């Protein structure tokens, strides 16, 4: 098959948000198409009108766009009238060719037989009684207006295929009952709709989760009955939580949109999802979309279930925060910084170079965009609020801490240049002169500048705060301690 003949699709049901499992399926299809120069299509499987919503459809589109997974042709809707009419034509064609038959059994009758089988401790399987009706009886029932479904007549033998992930898979046909393909109201069952649509859309590869493996033999039989070439199948392993169970809401956020709001970058999300079921080889982990597209291959698809580890995702997000251009990260984190209420976008634009320096300093320590905004707060406030635990530890002896701050203020005020190297040299000399270790010297200064016990290097922060603000904060902290001593 030529690369240009590769046509893959992502086919979500619009009954909820874009789940991370669905996002991974879309990503693998997209990477496969892009790597081979093929076509990536989007089909909305909205035949369940009771559960399908426009809000869910919009959320799925938004999630795909956020991830950067663009589709190449117009979106198609499975429940649209032209598609429904084609599903019905395909069902009638199989009826006329003898691959299917009308079943007049009611839901009540089937339920009774199912209960009888359970009482006998047998598994229920449709017994083909309607397939044994004479042509005259069938015609009479149809003429009388008796409702019926159309069932596919499963042939003898077995049905198998070579899977891109799991290699050779086969099912004995005796284990597949004559399944319904068209309901009595004329609407298609999932397997018929999917096969009919994939034929119409000229899908060359069906790539999806391995929870669909049991559907595949039925679909292959439908391809054969319709006289169509079947696609290549690939079934990806399920995504599990850290407890080894299928990922669900009990494991935390499962919607792609949730991670967007948690400050995860789409590049990191795609990178993380790609490694849940695929390996580029070697120890390579952090990759851009371009790198993943270049490296993606069916040979790297994995059989083993993947584990969704949020801490690993956050680590990977931190790696992408560092890798992306500074201007890009600064722009993306800006809404979160403004949302702190401590600064406006206009104010940051007015001192853009300073803002870039701040983000560059903070991003090396951050795992999410939200963490960058949180770490930026001490640099944006006018008055420092001292964390009680940090102050109690760093200023345990108020008199000693005040003496350190007074000496640091005098030393820094005497610096002729407010640059990192000069500031570090001055404070280092102070510590040596007074016999103070790094912790004894820097911990009181850190709390004075930020109010916190954890922060970037003091020598990196001082140039960001600037001479005036740094000295003002040291003086304010000293005054605070003086008040504490006199109380």
């Amino acid at each position: 098959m030529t690369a240009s003949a590769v046509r893959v699709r992502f086919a979500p049901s619009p009954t909820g948000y874009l789940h991370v499992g669905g996002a991974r399926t879309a990503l693998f299809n997209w990477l496969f198409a892009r790597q081979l120069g093929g076509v990536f299509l989007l089909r909305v499987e909205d035949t369940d009108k009771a559960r399908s919503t426009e809000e869910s459809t919009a959320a799925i589109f938004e999630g795909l766009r956020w991830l950067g997974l663009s589709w190449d042709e117009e979106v198609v809707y499975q429940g649209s009238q032209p598609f429904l009419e084609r599903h019905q034509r395909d069902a009638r064609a199989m009826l006329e060719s003898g691959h299917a038959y009308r079943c007049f059994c009611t839901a009540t009758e089937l339920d009774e037989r199912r209960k009888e089988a359970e009482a006998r401790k047998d598994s229920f399987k449709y017994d083909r009684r309607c397939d044994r009706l004479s042509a005259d009886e069938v015609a009479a029932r149809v003429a009388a207006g008796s409702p019926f479904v159309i069932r596919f007549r499963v042939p003898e033998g077995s049905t198998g295929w070579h899977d891109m992930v799991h290699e050779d898979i086969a099912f004995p046909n005796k284990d597949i009952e004559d399944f319904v393909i068209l309901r009595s109201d004329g609407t298609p069952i999932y397997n018929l709709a999917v096969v009919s649509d994939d034929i119409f859309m000229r899908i060359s590869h069906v790539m999806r989760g391995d929870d669909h493996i049991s559907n595949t033999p039925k679909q292959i039989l439908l391809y054969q009955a319709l006289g169509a070439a079947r696609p290549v199948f690939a079934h990806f392993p399920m995504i599990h939580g850290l407890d080894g169970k299928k990922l669900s809401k009990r494991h935390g956020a499962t919607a792609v949109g949730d991670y967007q709001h948690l400050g995860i970058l789409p590049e990191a999300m795609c990178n993380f999802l790609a490694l849940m079921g695929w390996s580029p080889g070697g120890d390579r982990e952090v990759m851009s979309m371009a790198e993943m597209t270049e490296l993606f291959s069916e040979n790297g698809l994995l059989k083993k279930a993947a584990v969704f580890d949020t801490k690993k995702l956050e680590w990977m997000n931190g790696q992408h925060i560092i890798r992306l251009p500074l201007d890009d990260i600064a722009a993306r984190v800006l809404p979160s910084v403004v949302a702190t209420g401590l600064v406006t976008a206009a104010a940051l634009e007015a001192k853009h170079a300073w803002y870039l320096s701040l983000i560059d300093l903070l991003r090396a320590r951050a795992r999410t965009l939200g963490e960058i905004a949180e770490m930026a707060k001490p640099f944006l406030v006018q008055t420092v609020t001292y964390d009680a635990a940090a102050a109690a530890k760093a200023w345990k002896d108020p008199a000693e801490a005040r003496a350190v701050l007074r000496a640091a203020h005098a030393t820094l005020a005497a610096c002729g240049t407010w640059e990192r190297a000069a500031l570090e040299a001055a404070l280092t000399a102070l510590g040596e002169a007074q016999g103070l270790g790094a912790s004894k010297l820097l911990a009181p200064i850190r709390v004075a500048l930020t109010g916190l016990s954890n922060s970037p290097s003091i020598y990196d922060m001082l140039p960001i705060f600037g001479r005036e603000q740094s000295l003002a904060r040291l003086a304010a902290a000293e005054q605070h301690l003086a008040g504490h001593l006199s109380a």
Side-chain angles (χ1 to χ4, degrees):
M1 179 176 293
T2 62
S4 60
V6 170
R7 291 174 64 86
V8 296
R9 48 69 168 180
F10 175 52
S13 297
T15 55
Y17 295 102
L18 180 62
H19 185 275
V20 293
R24 184 197 59 173
T25 295
L27 174 64
F28 281 178
N29 277 275
W30 187 91
L31 287 171
F32 186 71
R34 293 293 177 265
Q35 208 278 334
L36 293 174
V39 177
F40 173 68
L41 303 173
L42 178 59
R43 179 173 75 226
V44 177
E45 298 193 336
D46 57 345
T47 53
D48 187 345
K49 299 300 182 184
R51 298 176 61 220
S52 299
T53 67
E54 291 183 3
E55 291 78 11
S56 292
T57 301
I60 290 169
F61 289 179
E62 181 183 353
L64 290 173
R65 290 191 183 103
W66 178 68
L67 291 170
L69 305 181
S70 56
W71 45 96
D72 299 313
E73 296 177 6
E74 287 189 13
V75 178
V76 298
Y77 294 84
Q78 190 173 67
S80 65
Q81 192 62 29
F83 275 60
L84 174 60
E85 291 173 356
R86 176 168 34 75
H87 301 153
Q88 294 169 340
R89 286 197 303 272
D90 286 344
R92 288 195 297 269
M94 286 186 278
L95 195 61
E96 293 166 2
S97 66
H99 289 95
Y101 59 92
R102 293 178 179 87
C103 175
F104 299 93
C105 297
T106 65
T108 300
E109 291 170 341
L110 292 171
D111 189 52
E112 289 175 355
R113 291 176 216 157
R114 188 173 288 104
K115 289 178 180 177
E116 290 172 1
E118 290 175 356
R120 298 192 305 269
K121 296 185 178 179
D122 292 334
S123 58
F124 175 75
K125 183 180 178 182
Y126 185 67
D127 58 9
R128 284 187 168 175
R129 65 181 59 192
C130 286
D131 193 25
R132 296 190 291 272
L133 297 174
S134 67
D136 289 342
E137 171 123 13
V138 171
R141 292 195 184 194
V142 171
S146 298
F148 62 86
V149 299
I150 296 179
R151 284 184 184 272
F152 184 81
R153 184 182 290 110
V154 177
E156 294 182 355
S158 65
T159 302
W161 72 96
H162 183 80
D163 196 88
M164 286 171 61
V165 179
H166 299 280
E167 301 178 343
D168 293 327
I169 301 177
F171 285 78
N173 288 356
K174 65 181 180 61
D175 295 337
I176 307 172
E177 72 169 349
D178 288 358
F179 53 95
V180 176
I181 57 176
L182 199 71
R183 299 182 182 92
S184 59
D185 63 0
T187 58
I189 294 296
Y190 169 79
N191 284 312
L192 171 62
V194 165
V195 170
S196 180
D197 293 348
D198 285 344
I199 294 171
F200 174 74
M201 296 170 69
R202 308 192 310 282
I203 298 302
S204 64
H205 296 71
V206 172
M207 306 172 73
R208 56 195 179 185
D210 62 14
D211 54 333
H212 282 285
I213 284 180
S214 61
N215 286 320
T216 304
K218 298 177 183 178
Q219 293 174 9
I220 289 175
L221 291 171
L222 292 176
Y223 277 104
Q224 294 171 346
L226 291 169
R230 71 190 190 196
V232 177
F233 289 95
H235 293 89
F236 312 127
M238 288 289 96
I239 298 177
H240 292 170
L242 290 174
D243 59 1
K245 297 180 180 178
K246 184 178 178 181
L247 191 68
S248 66
K249 290 182 178 179
R250 71 175 178 275
H251 296 105
T254 58
V256 167
D258 292 337
Y259 290 96
Q260 177 183 0
H261 299 309
L262 289 171
I264 299 296
L265 299 171
E267 295 89 343
M269 193 72 193
C270 284
N271 189 170
F272 179 72
L273 290 174
L275 294 178
M276 289 194 292
W278 170 70
S279 171
D283 297 326
R284 192 164 188 171
E285 287 192 299
V286 182
M287 295 169 284
S288 67
M289 288 293 279
E291 290 168 327
M292 288 189 288
T293 300
E294 180 182 352
L295 294 168
F296 192 79
S297 166
E298 64 183 88
N299 297 327
L301 294 172
L302 307 175
K303 299 177 183 179
K304 187 179 179 181
V307 175
F308 195 98
D309 183 346
T310 303
K311 290 189 181 300
K312 179 66 176 290
L313 171 59
E314 291 178 349
W315 171 83
M316 185 164 285
N317 197 60
Q319 298 302 303
H320 278 270
I321 286 175
I322 295 170
R323 282 176 53 135
L324 287 174
L326 178 57
D327 279 335
D328 189 352
I329 287 298
R332 297 197 204 192
V333 79
L334 181 62
S336 298
V337 174
V338 172
T340 64
L342 300 173
V343 68
T344 65
L348 292 177
E349 180 60 32
K351 48 180 182 178
H352 187 64
W354 176 86
Y355 174 60
L356 289 180
S357 298
L358 174 62
I359 300 304
D360 197 28
L361 171 63
L362 301 179
R363 68 172 175 167
R365 299 169 58 88
R367 296 172 300 170
T368 67
L369 298 181
E371 285 186 358
I372 296 178
E374 185 65 26
M375 288 190 291
K377 286 182 178 179
F379 298 87
L380 305 174
V381 295
Q382 297 301 312
T383 303
V384 179
T385 299
Y386 307 117
D387 177 77
K393 184 177 181 181
W395 297 343
K396 184 176 182 180
D397 184 332
E400 182 181 295
R402 185 187 177 198
V404 169
L405 294 178
R406 185 187 304 114
H409 185 284
T411 298
L412 293 174
C415 280
T417 177
W418 201 262
E419 295 179 355
R420 189 192 195 284
L423 297 169
E424 182 175 5
L427 287 178
T428 300
L430 172 64
E432 292 173 351
Q434 297 198 2
L436 296 172
S439 178
K440 286 282 188 179
L441 173 67
L442 299 180
I445 297 174
R446 187 184 310 280
V447 175
L449 293 174
T450 68
L452 306 172
S453 57
N454 292 309
S455 74
S457 165
I458 286 175
Y459 306 122
D460 290 326
M461 290 194 298
L462 287 170
I464 301 293
F465 282 120
R467 178 188 295 271
E468 182 179 344
Q469 190 174 42
S470 297
L471 295 177
R473 290 192 176 194
L474 290 172
E478 184 189 347
Q479 185 176 7
H480 173 82
L481 287 170
H484 183 80
L485 288 169
S486 62

